[in-house]
Amino acid sequence: MKAEIGKRYRHWKGHEYTVLAIGRMETDPQKEYVVYRAEYETADFGEGSVWLRERSVFEEQIEIDGKMVERFSVISDTDKI
């Protein structure tokens, strides 16, 4: 899976997120980062909190209960960013 701007993803734990941008850090421009917005509200961070995760980690597969799954799986395209 490759993270794409404007698509909505489901984290393996169940929450949904929309990818807003793919960016780089000035201190290490070789690494790409996914900027994504939570499509839910929490007491700690409110509604639509924005997160940053290294692209390779966002796109990786992880082992859950002995089975390989995508950390984030695409669920739809969206027109809203």
Side-chain angles (χ1 to χ4, degrees):
M1 181 275 303
K2 190 156 178 93
E4 294 182 52
I5 297 167
K7 289 196 175 182
R8 187 176 280 208
Y9 295 82
R10 182 172 289 116
H11 188 267
W12 71 271
K13 292 181 181 178
H15 287 299
E16 294 183 13
Y17 301 87
T18 300
V19 171
L20 303 176
I22 306 295
R24 298 175 190 274
M25 300 286 260
E26 183 179 341
T27 55
D28 189 2
Q30 298 305 310
K31 289 183 184 176
E32 289 186 323
Y33 293 84
V34 177
V35 181
Y36 57 103
R37 178 183 60 228
E39 299 300 339
Y40 59 93
E41 185 174 352
T42 68
D44 293 337
F45 302 109
E47 185 176 344
S49 57
V50 175
W51 299 89
L52 180 74
R53 187 182 295 248
E54 193 172 322
R55 187 174 194 164
S56 62
V57 175
F58 188 95
E59 296 175 348
E60 74 183 351
Q61 289 194 339
I62 57 174
E63 187 175 339
I64 304 296
D65 297 328
K67 185 177 173 183
M68 297 304 289
V69 299
E70 291 184 347
R71 182 182 298 276
F72 289 88
S73 55
V74 68
I75 56 174
S76 72
D77 294 333
T78 182
D79 295 326
K80 298 178 182 176
I81 292 189

